[in-house]
Structures are given as structure tokens and as C-alpha cells.
Amino acid sequence: ETGVTQSPTHLIKTRGQQVTLRCSSQSGHNTVSWYQQALGQGPQFIFQYYREEENGRGNFPPRFSGLQFPNYSSELNVNALELDDSALYLCASSQGGGLEQFFGPGTRLTVL
Amino acid sequence: GQQVMQIPQYQHVQEGEDFTTYCNSSTTLSNIQWYKQRPGGHPVFLIQLVKSGEVKKQKRLTFQFGEAKKNSSLHITATQTTDVGTYFCAGLGVGSGNTGKLIFGQGTTLQVKP
């Protein structure tokens, strides 16, 4: 059984650019959630996907969007990057919306 | 919107001392989960509490969920250096508007001096 994987590990972008982050869920999991974790803070819920549909969204602007694919892997897209978007982006998979989350190692995004 | 507050933010203890972190939600929760994040790592699930007044134990760790389902605590007895890390509570709100929204507290960072 493979765990949650994320790519890339690190990414450096400049303000105004666009970025796509990828996540492969753990085998048997149909739900993927994305979180933004700033340094010294708790993870902030961005959104959740269940069976390819958005299943809940946090207080993030529309330039944060996502997709879930038939194999339950997922992408997080961020347009028009801002300096404050610099953070660790965590993906977590689960067998349902409110259940135990299995986190991936994260993607460290730096916006210059 | 729903907020989850956690105190203290930092705790330094001598190895062998006890440690407690407290979590309070602005709204009633469907369930509460606890996670541990080691420095440079990602959050790892510890436990989920669902019932009002529920108490669960994992070896030296004791988790409680308040009667009103708005607060929770994690108590570690006789801390060890392996307990070092940041402990997060995360609450799931009730109602269809909170579907999937797991709201994390700011975390309590535990340092243990050997």
C-alpha cells in the first residue's frame, strides 16, 4: 500500500505566475483535501474533492482551483501568484470527508 | 466562520514531566481529530473523538472531548524526547455548510529537555 505522494517537493515562482501542484492519494481513498500551511501556523483548509466533485471550500479566492481525476489523484492550481502564497501545500487523502486524513510530504512553494 | 483556538502556543518541559494542550472551538463540532507534526515533517493522525464527553487513551496520551463538543484536550504523561513536535487539534463543524471542512488550530509546539 503506497502512501500519499506529492510533486514537486519544492518550487520557486515569481509574482503573477501560475502553478500546478499534484497529489496521488493513498490506495483505496476517494477523498482528497488540500491545505496551505504558513510557517508556524496550522494547516488552512483550501478545498476537498470527493469522487471528482468539490465537496467543501475554505476561505480562499477563486484563483485557487482544483481537480480530481477518476483515479482519485488531484491537482491544485493557483493563478496570479502573490507573495503571501508562499507556504507549504499539503494534500491529504481519506476514505470519506470527515475521517482520518493521511497527509503527503507537501510541496514547499516560494513566491518571489 | 468556525474558528479553533489552541493553547498554549509553546511548552517547554523537562523529560518526565506531564504536558497538556487545550483546544476550543467557536462552534459545536461533529468530531475532533488530533495530529502530530515533527519538525520538517507533515501532520500524522493520532486520534478522532466523536461522542460528547469521550475519553480515549493511547499509552501515555489521553484525549478528551468536552460535553458540549466545543473543546478538547490532549494530555501526555511523563514526556519523553520522542514526544517533541507540534500537536494540532482539528475540528469538523456540523451542518452541510461545513462538509469536509476540517479546521485546524494553531498548534502547540512541545520541546522536551532531556
Side-chain angles (χ1 to χ4, degrees), chain A residues 45 48 55-57 97-98, chain B residues 1-3 27-30 91-103:
Chain A
F45 177 78
Q48 182 182 86
N55 187 45
R57 189 179 180 93
Chain B
Q2 180 191 346
Q3 290 186 334
T27 58
T28 302
L29 299 171
S30 171
L92 188 70
V94 299
S96 58
N98 289 307
T99 301
K101 287 185 188 176
L102 196 60
I103 305 300

Side-chain angles (χ1 to χ4, degrees), chain A residues 82-105:
Chain A
E82 300 176 0
L83 298 180
D84 285 349
D85 295 333
S86 295
L88 179 67
Y89 287 85
L90 294 161
C91 162
S93 73
S94 60
Q95 291 183 321
L99 301 178
E100 172 184 354
Q101 308 270 302
F102 290 79
F103 282 84

